[in-house]
Amino acid sequence: MNPLIWAALISSLATSTIITMTSNHWLLAWLGLELNTLSILPLIMKPHHPRATEATTKYFLVQATAAAIILFATTLNALQTGQWTITHASSTTTLLVTIAIILKLGLAPTHLWYPGVLQGSTMHTALVISTWQKIAPLTLLYLTHNHLNHTLLLLTGLLSATVGGLAGMNQTQP
C-alpha cells in the first residue's frame, strides 16, 4: 500500500475517534463512528485474499447495522426530548444506543462476527480492531453513563467473560 494512502487512513482513523470523543451532539458522534468504520475497511482488505474480503464484508455489515440503530435511536431522542445533545437522552434512546454499542464492541450476545473478522485480517489490523476501534464506542457509553441500564451492562460483562473464557479453553486453531 502506498505510504501516503496508509498515512491518510491512519490519520482519519485517529481523527474520527477524536471527533466521537469530543462531541456533545449525537449526529457528530455518529459521523465519527462512521468515519472510524470507513477508515478501517481498506486496512482489513489490504491482503487481497478471500478471507480478507469476507472479514471486510462482515465488519462493514455489523458496523453499518449498529450505526443505523444509533441513528434511529438519536432521531427518536430528538423527537421525544427536542434536543440532540448526548447528555439529554431518554430511556428508550439509551437502551437502543447501548445495544448498538454492544454490537459495535462485539460483546457476548452479539459476538459471533468478531472471531471471523479477526481471523481474516492481518495481525496488525486485528490489533487495531481489538484496541483502537473500541475507544469511540466506549466513550459514548461513558458519556451516557447517567442513563445507562446497569443491569444490562453487568449481564453483558458477565456473559462476555464467561463466553470468552469457555471459548478460549475450547480453541483448537493455532
Side-chain angles (χ1 to χ4, degrees), residues 43-44 46-47 52 117-129:
L43 296 177
I44 299 172
K46 189 174 98 173
V117 169
L118 292 183
Q119 197 173 35
S121 59
T122 63
M123 184 63 79
H124 293 291
T125 306
L127 180 67
V128 170
I129 292 170

Side-chain angles (χ1 to χ4, degrees), residues 66-80:
I69 293 170
I70 290 173
L71 192 60
F72 170 71
T74 57
T75 305
L76 188 66
N77 184 55
L79 288 173
Q80 289 177 346

Side-chain angles (χ1 to χ4, degrees), residues 40 54 58 88 99 128 132 151 166:
I40 195 73
E54 180 185 351
K58 281 182 187 178
H88 293 95
I99 291 170
V128 170
W132 190 265
T151 306
L166 292 175

Side-chain angles (χ1 to χ4, degrees), residues 30 32 34 64 69-70 83 92 106 124 134 140 146 156 158 171:
W30 174 80
E34 283 299 297
I69 293 170
I70 290 173
Q83 296 186 8
T92 307
H124 293 291
K134 307 299 182 208
L140 285 180
N146 290 332
T156 303
L158 287 172
Q171 179 69 24

Side-chain angles (χ1 to χ4, degrees), residues 3-163:
L4 189 60
I5 294 172
W6 187 83
L9 289 173
I10 295 299
S11 66
S12 68
L13 194 65
T15 303
S16 65
T17 303
I18 292 169
I19 287 172
T20 303
M21 289 177 70
T22 59
S23 66
N24 193 27
H25 195 275
W26 277 115
L27 286 180
L28 196 58
W30 174 80
L31 176 77
L33 290 173
E34 283 299 297
L35 185 59
N36 204 347
T37 298
L38 293 176
S39 299
I40 195 73
L41 290 176
L43 296 177
I44 299 172
M45 188 60 193
K46 189 174 98 173
H48 297 296
H49 190 270
R51 282 192 136 171
T53 305
E54 180 185 351
T56 305
T57 305
K58 281 182 187 178
Y59 189 81
F60 174 74
L61 289 175
V62 168
Q63 298 298 318
T65 302
I69 293 170
I70 290 173
L71 192 60
F72 170 71
T74 57
T75 305
L76 188 66
N77 184 55
L79 288 173
Q80 289 177 346
T81 64
Q83 296 186 8
W84 283 93
T85 57
I86 291 176
T87 55
H88 293 95
S90 66
S91 60
T92 307
T93 301
T94 306
L95 181 65
L96 285 172
V97 167
T98 304
I99 291 170
I101 290 174
I102 287 171
L103 183 62
K104 275 189 162 300
L105 292 173
L107 297 180
T110 60
H111 71 286
L112 294 176
W113 64 271
Y114 196 67
V117 169
L118 292 183
Q119 197 173 35
S121 59
T122 63
M123 184 63 79
H124 293 291
T125 306
L127 180 67
V128 170
I129 292 170
S130 296
T131 56
W132 190 265
Q133 291 294 97
K134 307 299 182 208
I135 295 172
L138 285 173
T139 301
L140 285 180
L141 274 182
Y142 177 72
L143 289 173
T144 59
H145 76 279
N146 290 332
H147 307 286
L148 289 177
N149 184 351
H150 297 290
T151 306
L152 176 67
L153 288 179
L154 186 63
L155 287 175
T156 303
L158 287 172
L159 189 61
S160 292
T162 304
V163 169

